[in-house]
Amino acid sequence: MKTVRLVARLSHLPLLLIAGVLYLLGAGVARYLGFRIDWGLYWLGQAWLILMQFITYALNEYFESPVELRNPNKTLLHGSSGSLNLGLLPRPVALWASAAGGLTLSMLSVLLIQKTTASVESNLVMLILLLTGLSYSIPPMRLSGSGYGELLSSFLITGLVPVFAFTLQAGSLNRLLPMVTFPLICFFLALLIVVELPTYATDVKYEKLGLLLRLGWQRGMLLHNLLILGGSLLLGLALIWGMPMQILAPIVAVLPVGLAQIWMMNRIGQGGQPNWNLLLMVASATFGLTTYFLTYGFWTH
């Protein structure tokens, strides 16, 4: 059971679950637009996505630098999970698991390409997903430790995953997709900043080059607030650009949560006593509730 827990930690289970919901969202947009859901293709794409993510995260930890290894701060939303530290799991396990996953992923890719021969878009998105994951995790790029990993992770999970699910079912792209994904990218990136803030001093000590360390905590806080405001503004513009009112109406309830998130961040920036757990809960609610209301709306209308 301990090994199973460590492998689950290595796979960054929260990110797999988030991607699963966003994959459901993308398929929901296709259903809303009148496309019949091919459930066999749906689950095949879901299996491909889980494997691709697992390979990305396992390789990222296998190629972890000595500086990252020394840092005691580990998170399941970005970077290393710590599963390979202190002999918890032998380091070669990550490499061999990635190789086995890659072989299975190749077979699933062939099946997906055969089933979507008429859709250049779905095959292209699948290729971009794979290249993005490899750029995140392996040298010479390995952007997870460059200060740009958070940007890439947000783009991969909240941007590409819904598009992947949609193109598998619809075989094309649609203007609803950026209306859905861009606000979620903003909220998810703001969430990652919140995750990194409590460990900022330790990250500086161990030279962990994340987005917040590259920006500095003050500019990071400012970026966080701009992301929340920008995501909210994009949702408002989506209504003008043609997003159905019945889909967006429930998200109005999320706006006070986002404002509370900004207020808490400003209070910390002004020297107030931080309540990191509460801030993380609020940031998770901003992203999670928006994702839930969008997914629910497209699947029920």
Side-chain angles (χ1 to χ4, degrees), residues 41-105:
L41 185 59
Y42 177 93
W43 291 113
L44 184 61
Q46 180 69 87
W48 186 93
L49 182 63
I50 290 173
L51 266 176
M52 189 278 298
Q53 285 184 271
F54 174 78
I55 293 168
T56 296
Y57 304 139
L59 286 176
N60 180 57
E61 301 216 18
Y62 179 79
F63 290 107
E64 200 173 13
S65 69
V67 169
E68 293 171 296
L69 282 170
R70 292 197 302 269
N71 193 327
N73 296 323
K74 306 296 179 184
T75 172
L76 294 181
L77 284 181
H78 175 66
S80 171
S81 69
S83 299
L84 304 183
N85 288 11
L86 304 175
L88 296 177
L89 272 180
R91 184 160 296 276
V93 167
L95 184 61
W96 289 111
S98 300
L103 182 61
T104 308
L105 189 72

Side-chain angles (χ1 to χ4, degrees), residues 13 26 28 42 65 144 174 182 185 206 210 224-225 230 237-238 250-252 257-258 262:
L13 189 57
Y42 177 93
S65 69
S144 67
N174 187 275
F182 286 178
I185 290 173
Y206 288 94
H224 166 275
N225 293 345
L237 291 175
I251 301 177
V252 174
V257 182
I262 293 174

Side-chain angles (χ1 to χ4, degrees), residues 3-21:
T3 302
V4 172
R5 288 197 298 270
L6 288 172
V7 171
R9 184 175 179 86
L10 178 67
S11 65
H12 287 67
L13 189 57
L15 287 177
L16 295 183
L17 295 175
I18 290 171
V21 175

Side-chain angles (χ1 to χ4, degrees), residues 88-163:
L88 296 177
L89 272 180
R91 184 160 296 276
V93 167
L95 184 61
W96 289 111
S98 300
L103 182 61
T104 308
L105 189 72
S106 300
M107 293 187 289
L108 291 180
S109 298
V110 171
L111 289 175
L112 279 173
I113 292 171
Q114 288 177 342
K115 285 181 170 292
T116 59
T117 52
S119 173
V120 176
E121 288 88 348
S122 62
N123 295 332
L124 182 60
V125 173
M126 190 165 60
L127 177 62
I128 295 173
L129 273 168
L130 185 59
L131 293 177
T132 303
L134 293 177
S135 299
Y136 177 86
S137 59
I138 65 174
M141 296 188 71
R142 198 171 178 277
L143 295 176
S144 67
S146 69
Y148 300 105
E150 296 89 336
L151 298 172
L152 196 65
S153 180
S154 300
F155 173 69
L156 189 154
I157 294 173
T158 55
L160 289 177
V161 168
V163 174

Side-chain angles (χ1 to χ4, degrees), residues 110-270:
V110 171
L111 289 175
L112 279 173
I113 292 171
Q114 288 177 342
K115 285 181 170 292
T116 59
T117 52
S119 173
V120 176
E121 288 88 348
S122 62
N123 295 332
L124 182 60
V125 173
M126 190 165 60
L127 177 62
I128 295 173
L129 273 168
L130 185 59
L131 293 177
T132 303
L134 293 177
S135 299
Y136 177 86
S137 59
I138 65 174
M141 296 188 71
R142 198 171 178 277
L143 295 176
S144 67
S146 69
Y148 300 105
E150 296 89 336
L151 298 172
L152 196 65
S153 180
S154 300
F155 173 69
L156 189 154
I157 294 173
T158 55
L160 289 177
V161 168
V163 174
F164 176 56
F166 180 88
T167 54
L168 281 181
Q169 302 298 330
S172 60
L173 298 173
N174 187 275
R175 63 192 182 90
L176 276 180
L177 291 172
M179 298 183 202
V180 169
T181 57
F182 286 178
L184 292 178
I185 290 173
C186 292
F187 294 153
F188 187 73
L189 186 55
L191 172 60
L192 292 182
I193 291 174
V194 169
V195 169
E196 291 185 358
L197 260 176
T199 61
Y200 179 78
T202 308
D203 291 341
V204 171
K205 176 182 177 181
Y206 288 94
E207 300 176 350
K208 178 183 176 182
L209 188 56
L211 177 63
L212 200 58
L213 192 61
R214 183 176 286 276
L215 290 173
W217 66 270
Q218 289 175 311
R219 281 184 290 183
M221 287 182 168
L222 176 61
L223 176 61
H224 166 275
N225 293 345
L226 292 176
L227 286 168
I228 297 299
L229 293 173
S232 303
L233 177 61
L234 287 172
L235 286 171
L237 291 175
L239 183 63
I240 299 174
W241 293 333
M243 176 79 81
M245 183 61 187
Q246 64 266 34
I247 303 293
L248 284 178
I251 301 177
V252 174
V254 184
L255 295 180
V257 182
L259 292 175
Q261 186 176 335
I262 293 174
W263 177 81
M264 293 178 68
M265 185 64 74
N266 287 337
R267 186 171 177 272
I268 293 171
Q270 293 166 4

